[in-house]
C-alpha cells in the first residue's frame, strides 16, 4: 500500500460532517484523524492491488494475480471495515446520503472543474477531458442521491429511490504517466478519492440492505462500481499507476513496509497515549498484517525473478476475509 500521510482534498471533501465528538465514539480527535488516514490508504491499496492483479493476469502470472486479489480483499473487507467501525463512520441512511451529496457536489462544481482547468494549462487535454467527464458523472450521482434522500425522508410520498446503472468496468492496462506537474498530482489525488468513494459507498450499501432499503443499496452499489470500475480505472491509465509485475510488487512492498514499521506503529502509540486502547490494539494488529503482506509480496518478487509465478504466496498474505454478499 502506498504511503498515506494526510487525507487528500477529494477524500476530505467526501467526509464532511462526520467529525463530531459524538460521532467519533469518544475517541481522541487525533486517533480519529489517524483512522481516516488509514482508511484512505486501505481503500487505495484495495483498488490498486486489483489493478495490479489485472496486469498479472495479462502476463499469465496467476500466482501474483491471486496474491494481489487476496490482499486487496483483506485491505477493504477487514482493515477498512474495522477502522470504519472504530470511528462509527457509517450512520443512518439519510445522514449517509446527506454526506455523499455534499461530497459529490463539491467534486462536480469545485474539485474536478479546477483540475480540468489546470490540465489545460499543463497542456494535457486527455486529463482535461477526463476531469470534465468526472465532474458530470459526480453531478449525476448527487442528483440521484437527492432524490433518494427525499424518498427516505418521505416514505409515503410515492417517490422512488433511483438505482442508477451498472457501468461496465474499464480494463486497466500498463501505462506511463500522460501528464506532468500539478496535473499528475491531481490525477494521483483523484485515484485516492475515487478509491475511497468506492469503499465508502460499499459500506453504505451494506447498511442500506441491513435496514431493508434494497433499492438504496443498489444505488450505492452501482455508484461504488462506477467510482472504481470507470473513474479509478480511467484515471489510473492516465496516471501510469500500473507498471510491470515486478514494479507493481516493489511498490506494494514499499507501501506495506512503511505502514508496518512506521505509520501503524505511530498511530498505535498515539492512540495508547490518548487512552484509546481499542484503537491502539487495532492499529497494532493491522501493522502485523501489513508486515505479512510485505513478506508475501517479497517472496513473490523473488519467485518472479527466478522465473516463477508467485506460487503459493496468496496463501501467505495474511487473513483472507469473505466479501459480504448482496
Amino acid at each position: 500500500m502506498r504511503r498515506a500521510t494526510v487525507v487528500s482534498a477529494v477524500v476530505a471533501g467526501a467526509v464532511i460532517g462526520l467529525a463530531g465528538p459524538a460521532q467519533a465514539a469518544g475517541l481522541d480527535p487525533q486517533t480519529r484523524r489517524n483512522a481516516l488516514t488509514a482508511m484512505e490508504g486501505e481503500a487505495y491499496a484495495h483498488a490498486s492491488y486489483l489493478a495490479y492483479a489485472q496486469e498479472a493476469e495479462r502476463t499469465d502470472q496467476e500466482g501474483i494475480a491471486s496474491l494481489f486479489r487476496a490482499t486487496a480483499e483483506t485491505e477493504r473487507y477487514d482493515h477498512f471495515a474495522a477502522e470504519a467501525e472504530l470511528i462509527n463512520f457509517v450512520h443512518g441512511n439519510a445522514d449517509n446520503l446527506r454526506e455523499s451529496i455534499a461530497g459529490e457536489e463539491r467534486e462536480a462544481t469545485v474539485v474536478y472543474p479546477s483540475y480540468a482547468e489546470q490540465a489545460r494549462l499543463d497542456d494535457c487535454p486527455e486529463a482535461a477531458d477526463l476531469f470534465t467527464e468526472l465532474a458530470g458523472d459526480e453531478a449525476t450521482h448527487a442528483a440521484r442521491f437527492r432524490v433518494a434522500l427525499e424518498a427516505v425522508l418521505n416514505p409515503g410520498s410515492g417517490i422512488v429511490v433511483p438505482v442508477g446503472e451498472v457501468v461496465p468496468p474499464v480494463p486497466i492496462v500498463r501505462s506511463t504517466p500522460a501528464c506532468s506537474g500539478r496535473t499528475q498530482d491531481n490525477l494521483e489525488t483523484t485515484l485516492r478519492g475515487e478509491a475511497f468513494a468506492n469503499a465508502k459507498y460499499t459500506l453504505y450499501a451494506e447498511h442500506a440492505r441491513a435496514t431493508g432499503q434494497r433499492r438504496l443499496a443498489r444505488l450505492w452499489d452501482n455508484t461504488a462500481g462506477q467510482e472504481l470500475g470507470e473513474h479509478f480505472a480511467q484515471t489510473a491509465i492516465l496516471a501510469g499507476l500500473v507498471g510491470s509485475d515486478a514494479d507493481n510488487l516493489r511498490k506494494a512492498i514499499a507501501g506495506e513496509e512503511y505502514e508496518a514499521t512506521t505509520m501503524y506503529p505511530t498511530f498505535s502509540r498515539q492512540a495508547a497515549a490518548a487512552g484509546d486502547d481499542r484503537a491502539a490494539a487495532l492499529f497494532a494488529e493491522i501493522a502485523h498484517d501489513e508486515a505479512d503482506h510485505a513478506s508475501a509480496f517479497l517472496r513473490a518478487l523473488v519467485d518472479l525473478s527466478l522465473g516463477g509465478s508467485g506460487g503459493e504466496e496468496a496463501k501467505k498474505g495474511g487473513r483472507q476475509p469473505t466479501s459480504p454478499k448482496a
Side-chain angles (χ1 to χ4, degrees), residues 40-226:
E40 180 194 1
E42 300 295 342
Y44 180 76
H46 168 254
S48 297
Y49 292 170
L50 291 179
Y52 296 163
Q54 289 186 44
E55 174 63 15
E57 289 166 350
R58 189 187 68 79
T59 58
D60 295 323
Q61 297 289 343
E62 185 53 42
I64 293 173
S66 295
L67 175 59
F68 275 129
R69 284 194 300 267
T71 310
E73 291 288 289
T74 299
E75 307 290 29
R76 162 59 189 88
Y77 293 103
D78 187 344
H79 299 169
F80 182 93
E83 289 159 349
E85 192 275 334
L86 174 73
I87 63 173
N88 289 346
F89 184 77
V90 177
H91 303 299
N93 291 319
D95 284 341
N96 293 339
L97 283 164
R98 291 188 185 98
E99 178 274 323
S100 299
I101 291 167
E104 296 284 354
E105 287 181 341
R106 181 173 181 273
E107 290 181 346
T109 62
V110 178
V111 175
Y112 287 135
S114 69
Y115 286 2
E117 179 60 28
Q118 183 62 48
R120 285 187 282 271
L121 292 174
D122 288 342
D123 194 24
C124 192
E126 302 98 325
D129 290 344
L130 174 61
F131 289 136
T132 300
E133 178 184 343
L134 296 186
D137 287 347
E138 308 301 19
T140 298
H141 295 168
R144 289 171 179 161
F145 291 158
R146 283 193 293 271
V147 174
L149 179 60
E150 287 299 312
V152 168
L153 293 176
N154 302 284
S157 66
I159 300 173
V160 177
V161 174
V163 297
E165 58 186 350
V166 177
V167 177
V170 175
I172 301 178
V173 297
R174 180 176 173 180
S175 63
T176 56
C179 310
S180 60
R182 290 178 60 187
T183 294
Q184 177 63 19
D185 293 340
N186 290 341
L187 287 168
E188 293 176 1
T189 297
T190 297
L191 287 173
R192 289 188 174 277
E194 297 298 327
F196 190 89
N198 166 261
K200 174 182 68 171
Y201 291 162
T202 302
L203 284 184
Y204 290 175
E206 293 168 10
H207 178 76
R209 265 189 295 275
T211 56
Q213 294 281 350
R214 298 196 65 83
R215 287 186 65 87
L216 181 57
R218 287 175 61 192
L219 175 60
W220 289 126
D221 281 335
N222 287 338
T223 308
Q226 184 174 21

